[in-house]
Amino acid sequence: MKIAILGGDGFVGWPTCLHLSEQGHEIHILDNLSRRWIDTELGVQSLTPMDSIQERCRIWHEVTGRRLNFHLIDLAKEYERLKSWLAEEKPDAVIHFAEQRAAPYSMKSDRHKVYTVNNNTGATHNLLAALVETGIDAHLVHLGTMGVYGYSSVGAAIPEGYLDVDVETLSGDKASQEILYPTKPGSVYHMTKSLDQILFQFYAQNDGLRITDLHQGIVWGTHTDQTRRHEQLINRFDYDGDYGTVLNRFLIQAAIGHPLTVHGTGGQTRAFIHIQDSVRCIELALQDAPKSGERVRIFNQMTETHRVRDLAEMVAKKTGAKLSFLPNPRKEAEENDLVVKNDKFLALGLDPITLQEGLLDEVVEVAKKYAHRIDRSRVPAVSAWTRDLGARVERDPEGRALRTVS
C-alpha cells in the first residue's frame, strides 16, 4: 500500500515507518518537526542522539534499499497544502500520529493548553475534511489513548469503544442503545483525544470515512527489530518530567543513581504496551479495515496493567535504586483500578510482549550508554494540573539545590 504516516518523526511514528517500510509498503512521512522544536523550548534532548529526519531516511535507504519520503507540512495550519498533497498522492491508508502527545506539557500553562487544543484538534479535523473533499477512500488509523477514560473503574472491564445501555422511554419501556464508552479525560491532552472520538464518529456516519481508533496504553522500551539495524536509526527516548513515560523514566533514574520518583501513593494503575507491540498493532489494524458506512472501529491497544508503585518496586529490586515518594502534580485519584478488554488484537494474532527482565535490562543498558546526555535537572515532573498543586510540586527531589542558612 501507499501509506501516509502523519507525525512519522515521533516516538511511535518513526518505528512504525520502519516496520511498515520493511514489509514493502510505500511510506510517506508528513511532519512539521514540532517535537524537535519542543525539545528546544524545554531545554532538553532525547536520551538517544537523533539525526535529522532526512539523515534518518537516508540511512534507512542505505541499510535496506527502501525509501522513506519526507514532506514538511503543518497539518493544523496548512489545510490547502494537506488537501493538495492527498489529492495528488491518493494514499491507500493514513496513519495519524500528528498530535502533541504529553499530558504534562499540555498542562504547563494556558499557552500550552491552547497550543495542544489548536494543534491536535485542528490537525484531526483538517485531515477529515480533506479526505472528504478529495474523495479518497483511504483507511484512517488514529493513535488515541487509554487516558480518555480517566484511569478509573466502576468494577467492570472497560470495553473496546462501545457500551450497551438501556434507557427508559417516555412510556416506561426499556430501549437498548450502543454508545461510545463515556470519557473522563484527565488532562487537556486527553481531552483532545476525547474530541477526536466525536469527530471520527461524525465523519464516519455522515461521510462514510473508514476509521480505526487505537486507544493506546503507555509505551515502554527502546528498540524494535528495525531500529536495531543501525545505530542512527535508534528511536527517540524521553526522560524528562513532561515527555518521559513512567517506566522508561524509572529505568533511566535507576541507571544514573537517581531516586525513583513516585508521585502520591503510586497507587495509580496504568495500561502498558511495548514499542514493538505498538507497531505490530498498527500493522494488524491496517489489515482489518472497516467498510464505508461502518461505525468507527475501536481497539484498546495495551497488553497489561500495573500500579506505578509496583513498577517502582520491581525496578528498585532489580537495580538497587531507592524510591522517593513526592507530591503528585496531577489532579487524580491516589488509588485506582484499571480493568481493560483487549480481545480484538489478541483475536487478530497479537502475541504480547510483557514486562520481562531481559527487556528491562535493554532499556537500562541504553540509559547507561547515553547517561552523559542526561540533564538531571530535567528529570523532576514539575508541570502541575492546578495552581494549588503547583505550590506543592517538588522541584529538587535529590536535594541538590543551594539552601539558605540563617
Side-chain angles (χ1 to χ4, degrees), residues 100 102-109 112-114 116 187-190:
Q100 191 290 107
Y105 184 85
S106 77
M107 303 297 289
K108 287 183 78 66
S109 71
H112 294 87
K113 293 174 183 178
V114 169
T116 300
S187 72
V188 167
Y189 157 72
H190 292 110

Side-chain angles (χ1 to χ4, degrees), residues 60-193:
W60 179 247
H61 180 250
E62 183 178 284
V63 170
T64 67
R66 302 185 182 279
R67 293 195 180 277
L68 299 171
N69 306 281
F70 172 65
H71 312 273
L72 183 65
I73 299 178
D74 189 322
L75 304 174
K77 296 179 179 178
E78 298 182 296
Y79 173 73
E80 293 298 334
R81 283 193 65 210
L82 170 62
K83 185 172 69 173
S84 297
W85 187 89
L86 290 171
E88 181 176 342
E89 293 293 342
K90 297 180 174 56
D92 301 298
V94 177
I95 305 176
H96 179 19
F97 299 117
E99 295 180 275
Q100 191 290 107
R101 69 170 179 84
Y105 184 85
S106 77
M107 303 297 289
K108 287 183 78 66
S109 71
D110 59 339
R111 177 175 66 83
H112 294 87
K113 293 174 183 178
V114 169
Y115 167 75
T116 300
V117 171
N118 289 347
N119 181 78
N120 292 8
T121 308
T124 297
H125 188 257
N126 281 353
L127 172 62
L128 294 168
L131 287 172
V132 172
E133 185 63 22
T134 55
I136 295 170
D137 184 33
H139 176 203
L140 170 58
V141 178
H142 171 256
L143 191 66
T145 171
M146 287 298 303
V148 296
Y149 301 130
Y151 299 117
S152 61
S153 173
V154 294
I158 294 174
E160 299 202 76
Y162 298 94
L163 181 67
D164 294 321
V165 297
D166 289 330
V167 294
E168 187 173 335
T169 65
L170 294 176
S171 63
D173 296 325
K174 297 288 186 182
S176 296
Q177 277 197 320
E178 187 180 61
I179 63 171
L180 284 171
Y181 191 84
T183 65
K184 192 178 180 182
S187 72
V188 167
Y189 157 72
H190 292 110
M191 181 187 72
T192 64
K193 297 290 190 175

Side-chain angles (χ1 to χ4, degrees), residues 359-373:
L359 289 170
L360 297 182
D361 285 337
E362 174 191 283
V363 179
V364 173
E365 287 169 10
V366 170
K368 287 180 176 177
K369 179 177 180 179
Y370 297 108
H372 61 282
R373 292 172 54 85

Side-chain angles (χ1 to χ4, degrees), residues 14 48-51 56 59 63 223 226-235 369-370:
W14 175 245
T48 50
M50 282 170 43
D51 283 312
R56 289 169 123 186
I59 292 293
V63 170
H223 287 297
Q226 291 74 37
T227 62
R228 289 189 182 93
R229 302 278 289 274
H230 192 287
E231 187 167 11
Q232 287 175 272
L233 296 175
I234 196 166
N235 200 19
K369 179 177 180 179
Y370 297 108

Side-chain angles (χ1 to χ4, degrees), residues 139-144 149 159-162 178 180 196-197 200-201 203-205 209-216 281 283-301 343-345 348:
H139 176 203
L140 170 58
V141 178
H142 171 256
L143 191 66
Y149 301 130
E160 299 202 76
Y162 298 94
E178 187 180 61
L180 284 171
D196 285 343
Q197 282 198 121
F200 295 147
Q201 183 184 55
Y203 277 96
Q205 70 188 22
L209 293 190
R210 300 185 296 123
I211 303 171
T212 298
D213 197 10
L214 308 176
H215 290 178
Q216 181 162 264
C281 284
E283 173 200 344
L284 292 172
L286 280 172
Q287 296 170 359
D288 190 45
K291 294 181 175 60
S292 180
E294 290 184 2
R295 69 182 188 182
V296 177
R297 191 162 294 175
I298 300 176
F299 293 79
N300 288 337
Q301 187 163 307
D343 302 334
K344 291 181 181 177
F345 273 130
L348 290 176

